[in-house]
Amino acid sequence: MERRIKIFDTTLRDGEQAPGCSMNLNEKIEVAKQLELLGVDIIEAGFAISSPGDFKSVEAIAKELKSCTAASLARAVEKDIDAAYNALKHAVSPRIHVFLATSPIHMQYKLKMTPEQVLEKAVFAVKYAKKFCSDIEFSAEDAMRSEPEFLAKVVEAVIEAGATTVNLPDTVGYCAPQEIFDRVTYIRNNVTNIDKADISMHCHNDLGMAVANSFAGVMAGATQVECTVNGLGERAGNAALEEIVMAIKTRRNLVNAYTNINTQQINKTSKLVYSIIGHTPALTKPIVGPNAFAHESGIHQHGVLAERSTYEIMCPEELGIPQKKLILGKHSGKHALVDRLRELGYTLTDEEFEDFYKRFKELCDRKKVVSDSDIEALVNFKERTESKYSLEFFDVHTTKSSKSTCVIRLKRDNEIFEEVSLGDGPINAAYNAIDKITGNVCDEMSSYSIQSVSDGNDALGEVTVRLRSGDTTITGKGLSTDIIESSILAYINGINKLLGF
Ligand code: KIV
Ligand code: ZN
């Protein structure tokens, strides 16, 4: 019989803790809602004890989810488990995820504990967590570099103590698929109570094998995969959700298994997460990269036209990537827009639609033809923070031979602030003027990038800036056909986020 593989998404925990991937509360809630639409089984919303901000977001997401299980990570200690439960207690389906390392290297150098102490602590933590809720996951951190006999002993003991899922992470992305297959098989053959728990895979991508390793685990009998949207995560990231889901779907015959993911939502989910962290996929990124379904060579084009399956193993339509191109512009009515949005996977509330429509019309005044990429950029581009400052007016002067000048007018709580500043170029001048108004909120701008959303010299330009204030680094974004305006909007968006942290 076909097995159902549970998809455990850790974008908001393992993904979000990676450098350059932090999200504010509104962004996390938006991602969590989209993950629920996508059909993931479990959302790891954060690590409740790690900071008050993380606690708040686990709590808010736990309250928001309608059917999906909400999980929080916890070390194998009482205070972590207490925090995890307190953050999760309003969830329709809470899960406490306890972890403790079991490899010789981690036990000796990080934990400074003997294997016996680790075994005892793991059992204690699972029993303690079980008092709060029935759904308990235990992760044997660095499981794949652990001694198989000891790992089997820990897994058996935690299941006996009440764990309902046992996770076997390849924490450092060290293993090859055959080793993962053998390790899962070993655990299945040497843990007497293994039928009482799901076996989960959690593979990192340091050697580029996270998806292949997760797949090997599923082939060997694992029934849960932990992954992140777009493969975000520590170092080289985690197994990419969209890749492992499509591997299971496309090679269903090999794994004799399926997931509950609505693959039509994959494109939209990926775009949302890229848009929030201010990145775009690599050209050759599987499933969601710009070239994933592009055929340049004549032989391939001819083959695909004659019979798609000659060179395509998946259809873009099953990922929610529409193929029919529709030209929209100034004269397009609301119905055509709503239809197009629906085809692109977006259902907006009336209020969201009105806000989108206003921005769509503004864009039509600047650009004759509005493409799907423009529409997606407009929808994904939202102010996900309380807007403290907003742009009222700017005027820049720039020449080759002297410094640029910029006059900026910002509004905050109905009060207008105006400043003028010089700079090395128009953007620097504008940012200096904004700093004068907002009071040097930003300690450092660690990156600035500009990306054209679609083709043509009237394309929308999306600017992403990464700003740091103390220990907090955020991403600010601006979108306009005028790149000076998008640069200014990105900086203001970043300042607003820093002020709201
Ligand atoms: O990579 C890892 O081992 C983890 C655990 C905490 C599950 O992220
Ligand atoms: Zn991890």
Side-chain angles (χ1 to χ4, degrees):
M1 209 180 67
E2 275 200 323
R3 295 163 303 141
R4 180 161 83 78
I5 307 301
K6 294 179 186 164
I7 296 296
F8 176 115
D9 180 276
T10 183
T11 308
L12 298 172
R13 199 276 298 169
D14 223 345
E16 204 262 345
Q17 78 191 38
C21 296
S22 61
M23 302 180 198
N24 68 24
L25 181 61
N26 292 344
E27 291 166 336
K28 287 183 189 173
I29 292 176
E30 196 170 342
V31 170
K33 284 183 174 168
Q34 178 57 32
L35 287 170
E36 192 163 51
L37 256 180
L38 178 68
V40 308
D41 298 279
I42 303 108
I43 294 176
E44 187 161 53
F47 187 1
I49 191 84
S50 67
S51 70
D54 245 52
F55 183 93
K56 245 173 126 182
S57 37
V58 176
E59 190 178 42
I61 292 167
K63 284 184 186 157
E64 193 68 48
L65 297 177
K66 309 266 182 303
S67 55
C68 205
T69 296
S72 170
L73 189 64
R75 287 166 300 187
V77 290
E78 289 176 8
K79 68 176 181 2
D80 280 37
I81 297 169
D82 290 342
Y85 178 68
N86 284 327
L88 291 170
K89 63 184 173 206
H90 299 294
V92 281
S93 167
R95 171 180 294 191
I96 299 177
H97 178 190
V98 178
F99 77 101
L100 186 61
T102 52
S103 65
I105 195 163
H106 276 237
M107 291 191 291
Q108 184 180 349
Y109 296 107
K110 187 181 80 174
L111 300 175
K112 298 189 186 354
M113 285 168 76
T114 63
E116 293 68 32
Q117 288 169 324
V118 165
L119 179 65
E120 196 182 320
K121 191 169 184 178
V123 169
F124 166 80
V126 170
K127 282 191 177 156
Y128 185 75
K130 198 76 181 176
K131 289 192 203 146
F132 297 112
C133 78
S134 59
D135 187 347
I136 305 296
E137 172 165 335
F138 177 80
S139 280
E141 191 187 10
D142 207 15
M144 292 299 166
R145 292 193 300 169
S146 304
E147 297 296 335
E149 298 77 12
F150 179 61
L151 181 64
K153 207 164 155 183
V154 173
V155 167
E156 183 152 327
V158 294
I159 296 174
E160 183 60 32
T164 40
T165 302
V166 283
N167 187 29
L168 308 177
D170 183 15
T171 302
V172 289
Y174 177 71
C175 284
Q178 186 64 50
E179 291 171 292
I180 300 275
F181 186 93
D182 292 346
R183 182 55 60 96
V184 173
T185 306
Y186 179 88
I187 293 297
R188 290 187 74 201
N189 291 337
N190 290 279
V191 172
T192 56
N193 52 4
I194 197 68
D195 57 316
K196 297 200 172 61
D198 277 305
I199 299 179
S200 173
M201 303 316 303
H202 177 113
C203 299
H204 280 267
N205 203 31
D206 299 68
L207 294 174
M209 292 194 277
V211 173
N213 283 342
S214 308
F215 192 78
V218 171
M219 284 184 76
T223 45
Q224 176 177 288
V225 174
E226 305 197 358
C227 46
T228 58
V229 176
N230 302 330
L232 302 186
E234 290 279 12
R235 307 181 308 278
N238 290 57
L241 180 148
E242 59 284 359
E243 296 177 25
I244 185 67
V245 164
M246 289 314 290
I248 292 171
K249 186 172 182 200
T250 310
R251 302 311 315 274
R252 198 167 174 158
N253 60 327
L254 266 187
V255 282
N256 194 27
Y258 65 98
T259 72
N260 266 1
I261 295 296
N262 173 4
T263 61
Q264 299 265 347
Q265 291 287 333
I266 284 182
N267 179 46
K268 183 180 159 198
T269 312
S270 164
K271 286 221 158 78
L272 173 69
V273 171
Y274 275 128
S275 154
I276 287 175
I277 62 163
H279 280 279
T280 50
L283 204 60
T284 51
K285 164 86 177 70
I287 318 294
V288 293
N291 276 4
F293 293 95
H295 301 280
E296 184 71 29
S297 109
I299 297 176
H300 287 208
Q301 285 175 347
H302 177 250
V304 169
L305 285 175
E307 165 54 45
R308 194 177 218 174
S309 59
T310 49
Y311 287 103
E312 269 184 17
I313 57 165
M314 297 166 273
C315 312
E317 290 88 341
E318 60 181 325
L319 302 162
I321 305 172
Q323 294 306 288
K324 191 176 68 178
K325 298 264 179 266
L326 207 79
I327 305 293
L328 291 167
K330 220 187 185 100
H331 303 294
S332 306
K334 285 191 178 180
H335 285 304
L337 255 184
V338 171
D339 279 354
R340 195 65 195 143
L341 282 167
R342 198 176 309 114
E343 279 160 7
L344 292 167
Y346 299 96
T347 314
L348 306 188
T349 61
D350 290 349
E351 197 186 332
E352 284 167 342
F353 180 78
E354 284 314 318
D355 171 57
F356 166 82
Y357 190 63
K358 191 173 141 248
R359 291 182 293 129
F360 172 79
K361 284 284 177 198
E362 282 164 12
L363 182 60
C364 292
D365 287 338
R366 294 179 172 201
K367 207 170 178 281
K368 260 206 203 107
V369 170
V370 177
S371 68
D372 285 347
S373 313
D374 293 322
I375 292 185
E376 289 186 303
L378 284 184
V379 181
N380 280 322
F381 194 85
K382 280 187 224 149
E383 190 80 13
R384 294 181 176 93
T385 182
E386 198 197 325
S387 172
K388 296 190 161 53
Y389 288 100
S390 57
L391 178 64
E392 284 285 298
F393 167 85
F394 73 91
D395 184 2
V396 282
H397 286 274
T398 190
T399 66
K400 192 171 183 306
S401 49
S402 61
K403 289 219 170 230
S404 302
T405 52
C406 179
V407 180
I408 284 274
R409 203 177 298 144
L410 303 185
K411 190 170 170 184
R412 180 177 180 166
D413 299 332
N414 290 327
E415 208 180 324
I416 299 289
F417 301 87
E418 189 170 299
E419 279 293 348
V420 58
S421 194
L422 294 174
D424 296 324
I427 295 168
N428 182 240
Y431 288 6
N432 288 340
I434 295 171
D435 280 343
K436 280 190 184 172
I437 297 174
T438 58
N440 295 313
V441 180
C442 163
D443 295 334
E444 184 196 19
M445 182 161 84
S446 54
S447 77
Y448 167 98
S449 62
I450 181 156
Q451 174 93 19
S452 144
V453 164
S454 51
D455 301 334
N457 58 9
D458 62 350
L460 275 172
E462 187 172 73
V463 170
T464 304
V465 291
R466 222 171 287 290
L467 309 181
R468 183 182 64 76
S469 171
D471 291 338
T472 307
T473 300
I474 55 80
T475 300
K477 294 183 45 144
L479 186 70
S480 170
T481 49
D482 175 337
I483 58 168
I484 306 279
E485 184 174 359
S486 41
S487 302
I488 293 173
L489 291 172
Y491 197 62
I492 296 172
N493 176 244
I495 299 278
N496 282 337
K497 279 192 180 172
L498 284 177
L499 289 169
F501 248 89

